[in-house]
């Protein structure tokens, strides 16, 4: 009698655990299905000595906000981080806005934030140097815009960042690439292709 009861209890526990696992799996699959399309590692500018490694597409913002964009990306974003075996890394953040108009407003805010980044960084970094460049727009979906930002402080390696900000309908994406160096080291031509792919993959 006790043995039957123990077996029944064990079976019931297993069934509850299995049901919970199914619910979690279904929820995770459903959540993944709602994410905008993201870049793959192979879509990023080629690194001369390392492959790109892509993290999972994840709901929410990255643990560390992309350089220049602290405080302007909504919490309801999705992101994917990328890395290499060396100093080069990248992150893509995508947002589904309430409407195309809201998305256009967000894209404009992101563009202004990046365009002002070098000057903002200099105001808070005594002794530093910074510069930026507008690399123009891309004719993809509702459009995309490319920027470069270089920063340096004495006795430290300089850093260079590229930003691609684009929109498809009510979905906005921003791709940020960075490594040590200055604007002369930035792979702008390859990054144009990356940004075009990022917008085309959004699946709004």
């Amino acid at each position: 009698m006790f043995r039957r009861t123990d077996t029944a209890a064990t079976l019931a526990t297993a069934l509850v655990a299995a049901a919970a696992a199914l619910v979690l799996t279904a929820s995770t699959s459903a959540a993944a299905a709602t994410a905008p399309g993201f870049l793959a590692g192979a879509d990023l500018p080629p690194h001369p000595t390392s492959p790109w490694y892509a993290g999972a597409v994840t709901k929410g913002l990255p643990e560390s906000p992309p350089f220049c964009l602290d405080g302007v990306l909504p919490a309801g974003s999705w992101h994917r981080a990328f890395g290499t075996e060396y100093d080069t890394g990248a992150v893509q953040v995508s947002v589904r806005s309430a409407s195309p108009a809201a998305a256009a407003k967000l894209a404009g805010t992101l563009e202004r934030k990046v365009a002002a980044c070098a000057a903002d960084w200099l105001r808070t970094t005594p002794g530093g140097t910074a510069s930026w460049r507008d690399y123009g727009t891309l004719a993809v979906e509702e459009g995309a815009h490319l920027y470069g930002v270089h920063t340096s402080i004495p006795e430290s390696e300089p850093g260079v960042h590229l930003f691609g900000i684009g929109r498809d309908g009510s979905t906005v994406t921003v791709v940020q690439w960075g490594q040590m160096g200055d604007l002369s080291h930035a792979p702008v031509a390859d990054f144009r292709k990356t940004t075009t792919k990022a917008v085309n993959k959004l699946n709004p």
Side-chain angles (χ1 to χ4, degrees):
M1 182 175 179
F2 290 107
R3 189 169 298 167
R4 279 197 217 107
T5 302
D6 290 346
T7 302
T10 302
L11 180 58
T13 301
L15 287 171
V16 169
L22 285 172
V23 170
L24 179 60
T25 301
S27 298
T28 302
S29 299
T34 65
F38 273 78
L39 292 168
D43 297 325
L44 290 159
H47 191 282
T49 56
S50 170
W52 281 96
Y53 302 100
V57 175
T58 305
K59 179 71 171 176
L61 293 171
E63 185 174 345
S64 298
F67 181 63
C68 292
L69 296 176
D70 190 10
V72 295
L73 288 162
S77 302
W78 294 82
H79 75 274
R80 188 175 208 180
F82 304 86
T84 66
E85 294 171 1
Y86 297 94
D87 65 316
T88 307
V91 65
Q92 181 182 5
V93 181
S94 297
V95 186
R96 279 208 171 99
S97 300
S99 66
K105 182 178 180 181
L106 174 60
T109 298
L110 295 172
E111 290 182 24
R112 288 189 294 273
K113 183 75 171 178
V114 171
C117 179
D120 290 344
W121 186 86
L122 283 173
R123 279 193 287 271
T124 59
T125 313
T129 59
S131 59
W132 73 286
R133 190 166 297 169
D134 184 336
Y135 290 113
T137 59
L138 296 172
V140 53
E141 300 300 340
E142 273 67 61
H145 207 142
L146 270 62
Y147 299 88
V149 177
H150 163 254
T151 59
S152 181
I153 56 177
E155 300 180 4
S156 179
E157 293 288 345
V160 59
H161 301 269
L162 291 175
F163 298 84
I165 301 162
R167 181 172 71 91
D168 185 0
S170 59
T171 306
V172 176
T173 195
V174 55
V175 184
Q176 182 241 330
W177 169 100
Q179 69 173 28
M180 291 189 292
D182 57 36
L183 290 170
S184 69
H185 301 117
V188 178
D190 285 328
F191 194 71
R192 291 183 192 278
K193 298 175 186 176
T194 294
T195 302
T196 299
K197 288 180 181 179
V199 177
N200 279 329
K201 286 189 171 188
L202 283 176
N203 301 321

